[in-house]
Amino acid sequence: KKKLESMGYSVFLCDPLCGDNMVEQIAHAFANAKVRVIFGTLTYGKKTPSPFSTHTELSFVMDLHFKEQKKFCIIKMCLDYEKFLTRMTLNS
């Protein structure tokens, strides 16, 4: 983050304080970013009981990509994704 900022880039890294709405922060940042960087872990794209998960995030990123031509970059942090839908969506 510091390196990118030193090069003149604006970087959002979700770090909510107690009581902050993390979902709102991420949605706002994703909607307004020039490029979304996704850290694709083994379980990226998995549905969880939480109202917001990486499954929701992936759907939102892909929706922005196809409907509004918003760019994204995936940093794959595993050999393969656990979820088949994630593998199919991200062409891994």
Side-chain angles (χ1 to χ4, degrees), residues 15-76:
D15 189 18
L17 299 173
C18 185
D20 285 351
N21 186 332
M22 181 178 75
V23 176
E24 189 175 305
Q25 288 180 6
I26 293 170
H28 178 75
F30 270 25
N32 293 299
K34 290 180 182 174
V35 177
R36 284 130 216 88
V37 179
I38 298 167
F39 292 88
T41 60
L42 177 68
T43 59
Y44 190 80
K46 184 177 182 176
K47 280 187 182 180
T48 66
S50 170
F52 187 75
S53 64
T54 57
H55 175 80
T56 308
E57 181 182 284
L58 179 58
S59 295
F60 186 59
V61 167
M62 297 312 293
D63 189 57
L64 288 171
H65 177 68
F66 289 112
K67 290 182 179 175
E68 300 179 28
Q69 290 74 50
K70 301 262 185 167
K71 297 177 184 178
F72 72 95
C73 173
I74 183 84
I75 298 174
K76 191 171 180 186

Side-chain angles (χ1 to χ4, degrees), residues 1-11 34:
K1 180 180 181 214
K2 287 180 183 180
K3 180 69 172 175
L4 289 170
E5 288 174 335
S6 75
M7 297 167 55
Y9 293 98
S10 174
V11 178
K34 290 180 182 174

